[in-house]
Amino acid sequence: MIRRVAPWVLLVWMSWVIWAAFMRVAPAAGFQGQSSRILFFHVPTAWVASLAFLVSCVASIMYLARRKPVDDARAAASAALGLLFAVLATVTGSIFAKVEWGAFWNWDPRQTSITLLLLIYAAYFALRGAVPDPERRATLSAAYAILAFVTVPFLIWVVPRIYWSLHPDVMTNPDPDSRLDSSHAQVLMASLAGFTGLFVWLYNLETRIERLRRSRAEEEL
Amino acid sequence: MWRWVAEAAAVFAKDLRTEFRTKVALNSLGLFAITVLAAVSYTVGPYRIAEADRPFLLSALLWIVIFFAAMAGLDRTFVKEEETHTAPLLRLAAEPLVVWAGKLLFNLVLLYVLMALLVPLYSILMGLEIPRPGRLVALLAVGGYALAVVTTMVAAIIARAISRGALFSVLSIPILLPLLIFLIEGTRAVAEGNPGGVSSTLRAVVSLGGVMTVVSVFLFPVVWND
C-alpha cells in the first residue's frame, strides 16, 4: 500500500515545492536578482549527496559485518544516487556562483569538498568495475567506502578553517540577518524533506532492481 | 608483543631485500621525482614567481612532486606479492596486522628516503628558503607517515583488482587531497615563519594520520584475508 501511494505523495509534495520556490516567496534579501531561488534545490541536492555517502558507508560496514549481498547492493545503490545528486549540487552551485560571484568555479572550500565527493564516488565505481569476482568486489569496495568516509569530517570542518570561504551560511549563521527568513526557511525545509523522500524512493527502487538482477543471475546459473 | 614486532620487522626486512634485488619501487619513485623536479625547475625556476607568491607556490609544487612520486611506486609493496604469487604464502606465514605493519614500515622508509633526497634538491633548484628547518622536518615526518598509512591501505585494496597501476592513483588522490591541502598550508607557514600555522597544521595532519591508522587496523585484515 505505502509503496503504491508514496510516489504520488512525493509527486504532489515536490510539485508544491517547485511552485513555492518560484511563486510563493520573493527573492531573499542580500542575493543578486532571483539567484536565491536556486538554494531551494542546491541545498537539498548537496544534503542528499552527503546522506547517500553516509548510507553507503553504513551499508558497507553492515556488509563487512554480516556478509549479506543485499548490503553490498544497498551500498552501491546509495553511492550511485549520491553521485547523481553530487553532480546536481555541483551544477546548481556553479550557476549560483556565476550569478553571485561572476565565475562558475573558484575553488571555494565548499566547491573543493563537493569535487572530492564526486572524485570519491567515481573512484568507488572504478574499483567496482575493476574487480570481476562479486564477493571480492563487495569486500574491497566496502573497505574503500569506509576509508573514504573517514576523510569527510576533515573536508567539512577542518579545510574551511584553513581557507576563507565565500559560500553563504543561510541555516546556522550566528548573525540572524544573514539567515533566511521564516517563509524561505519553510520552503527550504519542505524541499529538504521532499528531496530526502525522493532519495528514499529511488534507493528502494535501485535496491529492489539489484536484488531481482542477482536472483535472476543465480537462477541462470 | 615482542614476537609481533619481530615478525613485522621480518616482513619489512624481506620487502627491503626483495626491493634491493629489483629496485622497481625505488627507481619508480626516485626517477619520477627527479624528472618532475627537472621539469618544474626548467619551466618555472626560482625567479619566475613573484616574491609575495613564493612561500605558497613553492610549497604547493613541493608537495605535488612528493605526492605524485608516491603514486608512482608505493603500490609495489602489495602488487609485487600478487604478481609473483607470494601473497598466499605470506598469508599463511604471518598475521594480517604483522603484514600491514611491515608493509607500512617499508613504504614509510621509502618515502623518507625520497624526501631526504628530494627536499634539499628542491630547495636548491627552486630557491625555497626555510628559516627554521626543524619545523619542516616535523611536517615532512608526520606528513610522510599519514601519506604512507593511506597509500599502504589503498595498495592492499588495488592489489586484488585488475588494471592496478591506474587504480592506485584514482583511489588514493581523492582521499589524500585534504592531507595535501594541510601540508601545503603548513609548509607555507614554515616558509613565512608563522609558528601558529605550523602547529595547527601538525595537529590536523597527526589527527588525520591517527584516524587512518585506526581505520586501517580494522579494515586491513578484512581486505588481506578476502
Side-chain angles (χ1 to χ4, degrees):
Chain A
M1 177 67 182
I2 293 173
R3 266 188 193 167
R4 286 170 64 183
V5 173
W8 297 103
V9 173
L10 207 54
L11 178 69
V12 173
W13 187 284
M14 289 307 286
S15 301
W16 182 86
V17 166
I18 293 167
W19 171 80
F22 288 99
M23 311 297 285
R24 187 167 178 262
V25 292
F31 292 91
Q32 299 275 347
Q34 304 282 329
S35 68
S36 66
R37 295 189 194 279
I38 209 164
L39 296 183
F40 301 126
F41 305 99
H42 170 68
V43 176
T45 48
W47 151 249
V48 170
S50 311
L51 176 69
F53 202 24
L54 174 67
V55 171
S56 185
C57 179
V58 171
S60 299
I61 293 169
M62 284 170 72
Y63 176 78
L64 294 182
R66 308 193 304 180
R67 299 282 171 169
K68 287 188 176 175
V70 69
D71 291 325
D72 176 52
R74 283 182 179 140
S78 187
L81 289 170
L83 183 61
L84 171 70
F85 280 95
V87 170
L88 290 174
T90 309
V91 171
T92 51
S94 295
I95 295 168
F96 178 81
K98 176 69 180 170
V99 176
E100 278 291 315
W101 310 321
F104 284 110
W105 204 260
N106 53 28
W107 289 108
D108 185 88
R110 300 292 178 97
Q111 288 179 327
T112 311
S113 305
I114 198 80
T115 308
L116 283 187
L117 206 58
L118 275 170
L119 287 175
I120 288 170
Y121 277 133
Y124 176 83
F125 285 106
L127 176 64
R128 290 187 75 86
V131 188
D133 178 59
E135 276 184 37
R136 183 169 291 173
R137 183 198 305 141
T139 306
L140 297 182
S141 52
Y144 183 71
I146 296 165
L147 193 69
F149 188 78
V150 171
T151 58
V152 171
F154 289 91
L155 282 173
I156 294 174
W157 287 294
V158 186
V159 173
R161 282 173 191 269
I162 292 179
Y163 283 106
W164 180 75
S165 176
L166 281 166
H167 196 282
D169 183 4
V170 294
M171 303 290 286
T172 57
N173 200 311
D175 176 15
D177 294 338
S178 299
R179 286 187 216 152
L180 287 180
D181 64 31
S182 64
S183 62
H184 288 91
Q186 277 171 15
V187 179
L188 183 58
M189 289 301 166
S191 182
L192 279 167
F195 271 91
T196 308
L198 191 65
F199 166 72
V200 172
W201 179 58
L202 289 170
Y203 170 75
N204 278 329
L205 273 182
E206 277 277 327
T207 312
R208 276 161 58 199
I209 291 168
E210 189 57 34
R211 264 191 212 163
L212 286 172
R213 200 177 286 143
R214 284 176 192 226
S215 61
R216 197 175 162 187
E218 278 171 18
E219 277 170 18
E220 280 173 4
L221 283 172
Chain B
M1 177 67 190
W2 286 113
R3 190 182 64 88
W4 192 90
V5 173
E7 284 181 15
V11 172
F12 166 69
K14 174 204 74 87
D15 273 3
L16 209 59
R17 210 175 303 125
T18 51
E19 179 53 36
F20 276 116
R21 270 185 214 140
T22 60
K23 300 182 186 70
V24 175
L26 264 175
N27 286 342
S28 307
L29 246 81
L31 288 176
F32 186 91
I34 298 295
T35 311
V36 175
L37 177 57
V40 168
S41 176
Y42 177 71
T43 52
V44 181
Y47 305 115
R48 291 190 190 175
I49 304 172
E51 195 61 39
D53 298 331
R54 288 174 74 85
F56 176 71
L57 287 181
L58 291 180
S59 307
L61 285 171
L62 171 66
W63 282 105
I64 287 169
V65 174
I66 292 173
F67 269 58
F68 280 87
M71 292 299 107
L74 291 190
D75 58 336
R76 290 299 308 163
T77 178
F78 283 103
V79 169
K80 76 178 174 203
E81 301 284 1
E82 296 294 333
E83 283 176 353
T84 54
H85 307 288
T86 50
L89 199 65
L90 194 56
R91 277 188 196 96
L92 289 174
E95 286 172 30
L97 284 181
V98 164
V99 176
W100 173 76
K103 301 282 185 188
L104 172 64
L105 196 59
F106 175 74
N107 273 350
L108 199 57
V109 168
L110 217 56
L111 257 179
Y112 285 163
V113 169
L114 172 80
M115 286 170 171
L117 295 173
L118 182 74
V119 176
L121 203 57
Y122 180 90
S123 302
I124 294 164
L125 289 175
M126 298 298 290
L128 174 66
E129 286 169 16
I130 303 293
R132 300 279 291 270
R135 288 179 185 153
L136 182 64
V137 171
L139 209 58
L140 288 167
V142 293
Y145 176 77
L147 181 57
V149 169
V150 175
T151 49
T152 303
M153 193 58 220
V154 175
I157 292 173
I158 61 108
R160 320 296 300 278
I162 50 176
S163 68
R164 296 155 181 154
L167 260 188
F168 184 58
S169 312
V170 168
L171 263 63
S172 301
I173 290 171
I175 302 179
L176 288 172
L177 271 176
L179 180 65
L180 181 66
I181 293 170
F182 296 151
L183 291 171
I184 290 171
E185 281 303 311
T187 310
R188 173 200 196 163
V190 171
E192 287 174 343
N194 169 17
V198 182
S199 64
S200 67
T201 303
L202 281 173
R203 281 200 298 273
V205 175
V206 167
S207 54
L208 183 63
V211 169
M212 283 299 180
T213 305
V214 173
V215 174
S216 297
V217 165
F218 281 101
L219 286 181
F220 184 78
V222 177
V223 171
W224 181 243
N225 287 330
D226 183 58

Coordinates of all heavy atoms in Angstrom, one line a residue, chain A residues 93-127:
Chain A
G93 N 25.2 24.7 -7.8 CA 26.1 25.6 -7.1 C 26.9 26.5 -8.1 O 27.2 27.7 -7.8
S94 N 27.3 25.9 -9.2 CA 28.1 26.7 -10.2 C 27.3 27.8 -10.8 O 27.8 28.9 -11.0 CB 28.6 25.8 -11.3 OG 29.5 24.8 -10.8
I95 N 26.0 27.5 -11.1 CA 25.1 28.5 -11.6 C 25.0 29.7 -10.6 O 25.1 30.9 -10.9 CB 23.7 27.9 -12.0 CG1 23.9 26.9 -13.1 CG2 22.7 29.0 -12.4 CD1 22.7 26.1 -13.4
F96 N 24.8 29.3 -9.3 CA 24.7 30.3 -8.3 C 26.0 31.1 -8.2 O 25.9 32.4 -8.1 CB 24.4 29.6 -6.9 CG 24.3 30.5 -5.8 CD1 23.1 31.3 -5.5 CD2 25.4 30.7 -4.9 CE1 23.1 32.1 -4.4 CE2 25.3 31.6 -3.8 CZ 24.2 32.3 -3.6
A97 N 27.1 30.5 -8.3 CA 28.4 31.1 -8.2 C 28.6 32.1 -9.3 O 29.1 33.2 -9.1 CB 29.6 30.1 -8.2
K98 N 28.2 31.8 -10.5 CA 28.3 32.6 -11.7 C 27.5 33.9 -11.5 O 28.0 35.0 -11.7 CB 27.8 31.9 -12.9 CG 27.8 32.7 -14.2 CD 29.2 33.1 -14.6 CE 29.2 33.9 -15.9 NZ 30.5 34.4 -16.2
V99 N 26.3 33.8 -10.9 CA 25.4 34.9 -10.7 C 25.9 35.8 -9.6 O 26.0 37.0 -9.7 CB 23.9 34.5 -10.5 CG1 23.0 35.7 -10.2 CG2 23.4 33.7 -11.6
E100 N 26.3 35.2 -8.5 CA 26.7 35.9 -7.3 C 28.1 36.4 -7.3 O 28.4 37.6 -6.9 CB 26.6 35.0 -6.0 CG 25.2 34.9 -5.5 CD 24.7 36.1 -4.9 OE1 25.4 36.8 -4.1 OE2 23.5 36.5 -5.2
W101 N 29.1 35.6 -7.8 CA 30.5 35.9 -7.7 C 31.2 36.2 -9.1 O 32.3 36.5 -9.1 CB 31.3 34.9 -6.9 CG 30.6 34.5 -5.6 CD1 30.0 35.3 -4.7 CD2 30.5 33.2 -5.1 NE1 29.5 34.6 -3.7 CE2 29.8 33.3 -3.8 CE3 30.9 31.9 -5.5 CZ2 29.5 32.2 -3.0 CZ3 30.6 30.8 -4.7 CH2 29.9 31.0 -3.4
G102 N 30.4 36.0 -10.2 CA 30.9 36.3 -11.5 C 31.7 35.2 -12.2 O 32.2 35.3 -13.3
A103 N 31.9 34.0 -11.5 CA 32.6 32.9 -12.1 C 31.9 31.6 -11.7 O 31.5 31.4 -10.6 CB 34.0 32.9 -11.7
F104 N 31.9 30.6 -12.7 CA 31.3 29.3 -12.4 C 32.1 28.6 -11.3 O 31.5 27.8 -10.5 CB 31.2 28.5 -13.6 CG 30.1 28.9 -14.6 CD1 30.3 29.5 -15.8 CD2 28.7 28.7 -14.2 CE1 29.3 29.9 -16.6 CE2 27.7 29.1 -15.1 CZ 28.0 29.7 -16.3
W105 N 33.4 28.8 -11.3 CA 34.2 27.9 -10.4 C 35.4 28.8 -9.8 O 36.0 29.5 -10.6 CB 34.8 26.8 -11.2 CG 35.2 25.6 -10.3 CD1 36.4 25.3 -9.8 CD2 34.3 24.7 -9.7 NE1 36.3 24.2 -9.0 CE2 35.0 23.8 -8.9 CE3 32.9 24.5 -9.8 CZ2 34.5 22.8 -8.2 CZ3 32.3 23.4 -9.1 CH2 33.1 22.6 -8.3
N106 N 35.6 28.7 -8.5 CA 36.7 29.5 -8.0 C 37.4 28.7 -6.8 O 38.1 29.3 -6.0 CB 36.2 30.8 -7.4 CG 35.0 30.7 -6.5 OD1 34.9 29.7 -5.8 ND2 34.2 31.7 -6.4
W107 N 37.2 27.4 -6.7 CA 37.8 26.5 -5.7 C 37.6 27.0 -4.3 O 38.4 27.0 -3.5 CB 39.3 26.3 -6.0 CG 39.5 25.5 -7.2 CD1 40.0 25.9 -8.4 CD2 39.3 24.0 -7.3 NE1 40.0 24.8 -9.3 CE2 39.6 23.7 -8.6 CE3 38.7 23.1 -6.4 CZ2 39.4 22.4 -9.1 CZ3 38.6 21.8 -6.9 CH2 38.9 21.4 -8.2
D108 N 36.3 27.5 -4.1 CA 35.9 27.8 -2.7 C 35.9 26.5 -1.9 O 35.8 25.4 -2.5 CB 34.4 28.3 -2.8 CG 33.9 28.7 -1.5 OD1 34.1 29.9 -1.2 OD2 33.3 27.9 -0.8
P109 N 36.2 26.5 -0.6 CA 36.3 25.2 0.2 C 35.1 24.3 -0.1 O 35.2 23.1 -0.1 CB 36.4 25.7 1.6 CG 37.0 27.0 1.5 CD 36.5 27.6 0.3
R110 N 33.9 24.9 -0.2 CA 32.7 24.0 -0.4 C 32.7 23.4 -1.8 O 32.3 22.2 -2.0 CB 31.4 24.8 -0.2 CG 31.2 25.4 1.1 CD 31.0 24.4 2.2 NE 30.8 25.0 3.5 CZ 29.7 25.3 4.1 NH1 28.5 25.0 3.5 NH2 29.6 25.9 5.2
Q111 N 33.2 24.1 -2.8 CA 33.3 23.6 -4.1 C 34.4 22.5 -4.1 O 34.3 21.4 -4.8 CB 33.7 24.7 -5.1 CG 32.6 25.6 -5.4 CD 32.9 26.7 -6.4 OE1 34.1 27.2 -6.4 NE2 32.0 27.1 -7.2
T112 N 35.5 22.7 -3.3 CA 36.5 21.7 -3.2 C 36.0 20.4 -2.6 O 36.2 19.3 -3.1 CB 37.7 22.2 -2.4 OG1 38.1 23.5 -2.8 CG2 38.9 21.3 -2.4
S113 N 35.1 20.6 -1.5 CA 34.6 19.4 -0.9 C 33.7 18.6 -1.8 O 33.8 17.4 -1.8 CB 33.7 19.9 0.3 OG 34.5 20.7 1.2
I114 N 32.8 19.3 -2.6 CA 31.9 18.6 -3.5 C 32.7 17.9 -4.6 O 32.3 16.8 -5.0 CB 30.7 19.5 -4.0 CG1 29.6 18.6 -4.5 CG2 31.2 20.4 -5.1 CD1 28.6 18.1 -3.5
T115 N 33.8 18.5 -5.0 CA 34.6 17.9 -6.1 C 35.2 16.6 -5.6 O 35.2 15.6 -6.3 CB 35.7 18.9 -6.5 OG1 35.1 20.1 -6.8 CG2 36.5 18.4 -7.7
L116 N 35.7 16.7 -4.3 CA 36.3 15.5 -3.7 C 35.3 14.4 -3.5 O 35.6 13.2 -3.8 CB 36.9 15.8 -2.4 CG 38.3 16.6 -2.4 CD1 38.9 16.7 -1.1 CD2 39.2 15.8 -3.3
L117 N 34.1 14.8 -3.2 CA 33.0 13.8 -3.0 C 32.7 13.1 -4.4 O 32.6 11.9 -4.4 CB 31.7 14.5 -2.5 CG 30.7 13.7 -1.7 CD1 31.4 13.1 -0.5 CD2 29.5 14.5 -1.3
L118 N 32.7 13.9 -5.4 CA 32.5 13.4 -6.8 C 33.6 12.4 -7.2 O 33.4 11.3 -7.7 CB 32.5 14.5 -7.8 CG 31.1 15.2 -8.0 CD1 31.3 16.5 -8.9 CD2 30.1 14.3 -8.7
L119 N 34.8 12.8 -6.9 CA 36.0 12.0 -7.2 C 36.0 10.7 -6.4 O 36.3 9.6 -7.0 CB 37.3 12.7 -6.9 CG 37.7 13.9 -7.8 CD1 39.0 14.6 -7.3 CD2 38.0 13.4 -9.2
I120 N 35.6 10.8 -5.1 CA 35.5 9.5 -4.3 C 34.4 8.6 -4.9 O 34.7 7.4 -5.0 CB 35.2 9.9 -2.8 CG1 36.4 10.5 -2.2 CG2 34.8 8.7 -2.0 CD1 36.2 11.1 -0.8
Y121 N 33.3 9.1 -5.2 CA 32.2 8.3 -5.8 C 32.7 7.7 -7.1 O 32.5 6.5 -7.4 CB 30.9 9.1 -6.1 CG 30.0 9.4 -4.9 CD1 29.5 10.6 -4.6 CD2 29.6 8.3 -4.1 CE1 28.7 10.8 -3.6 CE2 28.8 8.5 -3.1 CZ 28.3 9.8 -2.8 OH 27.5 10.0 -1.7
A122 N 33.3 8.5 -8.0 CA 33.8 8.0 -9.2 C 34.9 6.9 -9.0 O 34.9 5.8 -9.7 CB 34.4 9.1 -10.1
A123 N 35.8 7.1 -8.0 CA 36.8 6.1 -7.7 C 36.2 4.8 -7.2 O 36.6 3.7 -7.6 CB 37.8 6.7 -6.7
Y124 N 35.1 4.9 -6.4 CA 34.4 3.8 -5.9 C 33.9 2.9 -7.0 O 34.0 1.7 -7.0 CB 33.2 4.3 -5.0 CG 32.3 3.2 -4.4 CD1 32.6 2.5 -3.3 CD2 31.1 2.9 -5.1 CE1 31.8 1.6 -2.8 CE2 30.2 2.0 -4.5 CZ 30.6 1.3 -3.4 OH 29.7 0.4 -2.9
F125 N 33.3 3.6 -8.0 CA 32.7 2.8 -9.2 C 33.9 2.3 -10.1 O 33.7 1.2 -10.7 CB 31.7 3.6 -10.0 CG 30.4 3.7 -9.2 CD1 30.0 4.9 -8.6 CD2 29.6 2.6 -9.1 CE1 28.9 4.9 -7.8 CE2 28.4 2.6 -8.3 CZ 28.1 3.8 -7.7
A126 N 35.0 3.0 -10.2 CA 36.1 2.5 -10.9 C 36.7 1.2 -10.3 O 37.0 0.2 -11.0 CB 37.2 3.5 -11.0
L127 N 36.7 1.2 -8.9 CA 37.1 0.0 -8.2 C 36.2 -1.2 -8.4 O 36.6 -2.3 -8.7 CB 37.3 0.3 -6.7 CG 37.6 -0.9 -5.8 CD1 39.0 -1.4 -6.1 CD2 37.6 -0.4 -4.3

